[in-house]
Amino acid sequence: MRRKKNAPPLTPEEEYEQAASTAAAMLARRPLSEKLLLQKLKEKEFSEDSAQYAVERMRVLGALDDTTYAEMIVRSYRAKGCGKLRIRQELQHRGIPREIAQEVLEDFEPDWDAMVALLEKKLHGDVSDRTRNEKAFAALQRKGFSFSQIRQAMERYVELLDEEE
């Protein structure tokens, strides 16, 4: 933990309380996973013990919950039109344990309307152009959708085009 040069050293109890106060301030700005909070406290040069204490204290107070945080990430990225694979990657990047990620993604259903809208944006109603189809497919892959989901979205898109005719 960074301190002024002439400041007297903190007692372990004071460092624990300062770490908890810093953790609370971080969580007030934006939600974090336990792993990210611990990492950020260590970057601020708190000892391992005081950082662990702060994380545990925030968890006990209810200010830190990886499951709630993961659910928020899933909702946010689904609203952006992302698929399960992309969201899983984001959860991992943000330090969510694999078990929690599996739990929150268990009943994940892609936003079919968003997928079809992206296909419309890329294809403009022309499914005969192979190059455009490949680009649309690649765009959906980058968003984190599986091959079977992309194929299903393409089928829905073609059905919509047939209905319009």
Side-chain angles (χ1 to χ4, degrees), residues 12 23 26 29 42 56 63 68 106 117 121 124 126 151-152:
M26 288 177 179
R29 284 191 293 276
K42 287 179 184 178
E56 181 62 30
T68 303
E106 188 174 334
K121 180 180 175 183
H124 307 289
D126 181 13
R151 190 173 30 112
Q152 196 172 352

Side-chain angles (χ1 to χ4, degrees), residues 10-47:
L10 294 176
T11 66
E13 292 80 17
E14 289 172 329
E15 184 179 349
Y16 280 28
E17 289 306 313
Q18 192 163 3
S21 177
T22 302
M26 288 177 179
L27 291 171
R29 284 191 293 276
R30 71 181 181 107
L32 296 167
S33 67
E34 290 181 21
K35 184 176 179 181
L36 282 179
L37 180 60
L38 185 64
Q39 178 183 333
K40 288 182 177 295
L41 289 169
K42 287 179 184 178
E43 287 171 3
K44 292 196 174 282
E45 299 179 12
F46 284 103
S47 70

